[in-house]
Amino acid sequence: MSTNPGPEHLSDRPRWLCRVCGHPWPCTDARATLLREYRAFPSLLRIYLSAQMYHAMEDLTAGGDGPPPNLYERFLAWTRTHPPH
């Protein structure tokens, strides 16, 4: 359950775009929400996002395309540069 008012910025599988704003998920709003929700458990945030990255790779390569080159940056790198407080 989110404490964030307004619509939740969730992923739209298999395209992995935000259902609200249409940006690649996790979008800026989703990242902010995830940082708040996992602030006491940063390692669990990284585990959760690692699993989501794996699912995204499966979905985005299902048509025979190679994986997008920025999946690590999109799903995990930002958790290191914005540690939960």
Side-chain angles (χ1 to χ4, degrees):
M1 178 157 124
S2 176
T3 58
N4 187 23
E8 289 188 74
H9 288 257
L10 303 172
S11 64
D12 181 20
R13 287 183 73 179
R15 299 177 311 141
W16 288 89
L17 299 175
C18 176
R19 292 179 184 180
V20 175
C21 66
H23 291 113
W25 192 91
C27 63
T28 302
D29 289 326
R31 290 177 182 193
T33 300
L34 289 165
L35 286 172
R36 276 193 308 277
E37 290 178 353
Y38 285 88
R39 72 180 158 266
F41 306 100
S43 60
L44 291 180
L45 173 60
R46 291 181 188 106
I47 291 168
Y48 168 71
L49 289 170
S50 294
Q52 297 307 301
M53 184 177 71
Y54 177 80
H55 294 305
M57 185 176 310
E58 283 186 327
D59 288 344
L60 296 171
T61 60
D65 296 327
N70 65 341
L71 283 183
Y72 176 80
E73 288 78 13
R74 180 173 161 181
F75 283 87
L76 292 167
W78 60 271
T79 65
R80 300 267 184 213
T81 58
H82 297 92
H85 339 120

